């Protein structure tokens, strides 16, 4: 006798088929899910999932059903907030999958779009910050610092730092204040993870991620010193042709009194590299940050410079026995 067809399907496949059918029924009707129904779904599909695959099916279902672009919305705005503040907060942040992170980022945007803290132009995937009073941002910070998957942690770091760069003009004056809060949060995370008597991978991950945020901020806002001190004493504006070893060719604009570190940052930003990996060479000589300003190095308008990338493997490797975030921060 042949085996029943249903027994040939894996448990995950059967769950997916049922979730797909449930989504079809909900989205084809005018039913809005109640809190009790969401609690039941969360308990059996997310909380008590027998495998990560099954839990991810639940995450994908919540993201798909809650898609704000659909004609009918089965969730009220309060339901989005309930899921985010109650259910998402209960997840083990260190064990989050990329699917779980995608869901949390999607709901973070939907909540803040609804409350007009974010704005999205039609046909655009990117959001613009309207107000820095963003709901639920603390959860993103905890994921950035604690998620064991580097890809997920770094993705959230990129998202958080991107919020600083994508605000409406009327709140641009708040960017330095927000940037300072980012730095304080990172330094606090480093301090808390290093004062602990317990030497653990979790504490190391938190500190390294905080250092990662600081590095991204430095790379993304390389001209902050010029902005802070004004441009009246920056000297003549220079156009510098830049070339790399792999036929890269572009031009950067910089002022004569800017530092070599500013030039290095401009090259790194264009190439999307870590600025500490960039070595600058002109007229056969390497110039370093300690050499002072562009003018002091003898670089003139139109003078060609070259760059090469040093191998960062040794410079960022961390010995678990002598883990020292302060030593990493002091590296050029």
């Amino acid at each position: 006798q042949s085996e029943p067809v249903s027994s040939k399907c894996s448990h995950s496949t059967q769950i997916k088929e049922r979730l797909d059918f449930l989504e079809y029924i909900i989205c084809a009707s005018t039913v809005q899910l109640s809190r009790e129904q969401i609690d039941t779904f969360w308990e059996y599909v997310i909380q008590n999932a027998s495998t990560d695959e099954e839990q991810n099916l639940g995450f994908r279902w919540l993201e798909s059903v809650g898609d704000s672009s659909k004609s009918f919305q089965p969730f009220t705005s309060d339901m989005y907030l309930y899921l985010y503040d109650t259910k998402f907060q209960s997840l083990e942040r260190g064990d989050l999958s990329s699917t779980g992170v995608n869901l949390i980022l999607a709901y973070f945007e939907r909540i803040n779009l609804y409350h007009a803290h974010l704005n999205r132009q039609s046909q655009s995937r990117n959001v613009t910050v309207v107000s820095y009073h963003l709901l639920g941002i603390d959860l993103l910070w905890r994921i950035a610092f604690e998620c064991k998957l580097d890809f997920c942690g770094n993705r959230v770091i990129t998202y958080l730092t991107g919020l600083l760069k994508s605000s409406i003009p009327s709140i641009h004056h708040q960017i330095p204040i927000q940037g300072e809060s980012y730095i304080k949060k990172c330094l606090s995370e480093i301090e808390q993870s290093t004062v602990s008597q317990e030497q653990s991978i979790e504490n190391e991950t938190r500190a390294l991620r905080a250092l990662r945020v600081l590095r991204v901020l430095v790379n993304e806002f390389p001209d902050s010193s010029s902005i802070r001190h004004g441009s009246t004493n920056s000297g003549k504006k220079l156009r510098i042709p830049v070339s790399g070893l792999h036929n890269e060719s572009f031009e950067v604009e910089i002022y004569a009194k800017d530092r070599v570190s500013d030039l290095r940052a401009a090259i790194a930003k264009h190439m999307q590299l870590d600025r500490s990996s960039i070595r600058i060479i002109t007229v056969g000589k390497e110039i370093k940050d300690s050499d002072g300003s562009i003018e002091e190095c003898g670089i003139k308008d139109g003078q060609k410079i070259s760059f090469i990338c040093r191998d960062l493997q040794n410079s960022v490797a961390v010995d678990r026995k002598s883990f020292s975030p302060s030593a990493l921060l002091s590296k050029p």
Side-chain angles (χ1 to χ4, degrees):
Q1 186 175 2
S2 61
E3 187 178 2
V5 174
S6 60
S7 65
K8 295 180 180 180
C9 298
S10 69
H11 187 54
S12 295
T13 301
Q14 294 185 47
I15 291 177
K16 184 180 185 306
E17 289 176 350
R18 285 160 174 77
L19 290 177
D20 288 345
F21 180 70
L22 181 60
E23 179 179 352
Y24 172 77
I25 293 297
I26 291 173
C27 293
S29 68
T30 57
V31 174
Q32 286 195 317
L33 299 178
S34 67
R35 182 170 296 192
E36 291 73 22
Q37 290 169 325
I38 288 296
D39 287 343
T40 301
F41 172 88
W42 189 270
E43 179 183 358
Y44 288 103
V45 181
I46 305 292
Q47 183 177 327
N48 295 328
S50 56
T51 65
D52 291 340
E53 181 183 2
E54 291 175 16
Q55 188 179 69
N56 285 333
L57 288 172
F59 289 153
R60 291 191 190 97
W61 188 85
L62 283 172
E63 184 173 1
S64 180
V65 169
D67 187 350
S68 57
S69 66
K70 292 186 176 179
S71 57
F72 175 73
Q73 298 298 306
F75 294 155
T76 64
S77 59
D78 289 340
M79 186 60 70
Y80 283 115
L81 199 57
Y82 172 70
L83 278 163
Y84 195 95
D85 283 346
T86 305
K87 301 304 183 182
F88 294 176
Q89 295 281 357
S90 68
L91 293 169
E92 182 59 49
R93 295 181 289 269
D95 295 329
L96 273 175
S97 64
S98 60
T99 307
V101 171
N102 289 342
L103 172 66
I104 291 172
L105 287 174
Y107 273 54
F108 171 81
E109 290 191 350
R110 289 166 197 169
I111 291 168
N112 284 285
L113 285 167
Y114 179 81
H115 287 87
H117 299 314
L118 295 175
N119 183 40
R120 176 183 283 127
Q121 298 295 329
S122 59
Q123 308 302 321
S124 174
R125 296 179 58 187
N126 298 323
V127 294
T128 303
V129 178
V130 178
S131 167
Y132 279 113
H133 299 293
L134 295 167
L135 301 174
I137 197 168
D138 286 342
L139 177 58
L140 299 189
W141 278 111
R142 295 322 316 160
I143 295 170
F145 291 139
E146 297 175 20
C147 186
K148 294 175 184 176
L149 294 176
D150 282 337
F151 170 79
C152 293
N154 290 334
R155 185 188 171 201
V156 178
I157 287 171
T158 300
Y159 184 86
L160 287 167
T161 53
L163 293 176
L164 279 180
K165 300 170 57 183
S166 57
S167 60
I168 59 175
S170 61
I171 63 170
H172 280 181
H173 66 282
Q174 298 179 22
I175 292 177
I177 299 173
Q178 293 302 315
E180 184 178 351
S181 71
Y182 277 31
I183 292 171
K184 287 181 178 179
K185 193 179 294 288
C186 292
L187 294 178
S188 174
E189 200 67 28
I190 293 170
E191 181 182 9
Q192 292 176 28
S193 62
T194 54
V195 297
S196 173
Q197 298 296 322
E198 180 183 357
Q199 191 79 10
S200 65
I201 294 177
E202 289 77 12
N203 284 335
E204 180 181 327
T205 298
R206 289 167 56 198
L208 287 175
R209 294 279 175 74
L211 290 170
R212 164 73 176 166
V213 176
L214 294 173
R215 174 173 289 179
V216 171
L217 289 174
V218 169
N219 287 341
E220 293 295 334
F221 297 92
D223 299 321
S224 58
S225 60
S226 299
I227 295 171
R228 183 171 56 251
H229 298 296
S231 59
T232 56
N233 297 320
S234 296
K236 181 182 176 182
K237 190 174 185 178
L238 309 177
R239 294 180 180 272
I240 308 295
V242 182
S243 60
L245 293 179
H246 302 288
N247 297 320
E248 303 95 344
S249 180
F250 54 95
E251 190 176 78
V252 298
E253 292 185 353
I254 201 160
Y255 290 92
K257 294 188 182 297
D258 282 347
R259 312 291 293 180
V260 173
S261 58
D262 296 322
L263 176 59
R264 188 188 312 281
I267 297 172
K269 182 176 182 180
H270 181 90
M271 296 298 299
Q272 296 185 328
L273 296 170
D274 190 296
R275 63 192 252 168
S276 62
S277 71
I278 301 293
R279 298 175 62 187
I280 303 173
I281 299 177
T282 185
V283 294
K285 177 185 175 182
E286 180 179 0
I287 58 174
K288 301 181 179 180
D289 292 357
S290 58
D291 291 336
S293 70
I294 304 298
E295 187 177 56
E296 291 169 338
C297 291
I299 299 177
K300 297 178 171 43
D301 186 43
Q303 180 174 326
K304 295 181 180 180
I305 66 171
S306 302
F307 75 93
I308 58 177
C309 298
R310 67 163 62 93
D311 183 5
L312 282 181
Q313 183 174 358
N314 294 327
S315 63
V316 299
V318 177
D319 183 351
R320 295 182 185 275
K321 295 182 179 179
S322 58
F323 175 58
S324 175
S326 60
L328 283 177
L329 279 171
S330 65
K331 287 185 179 292

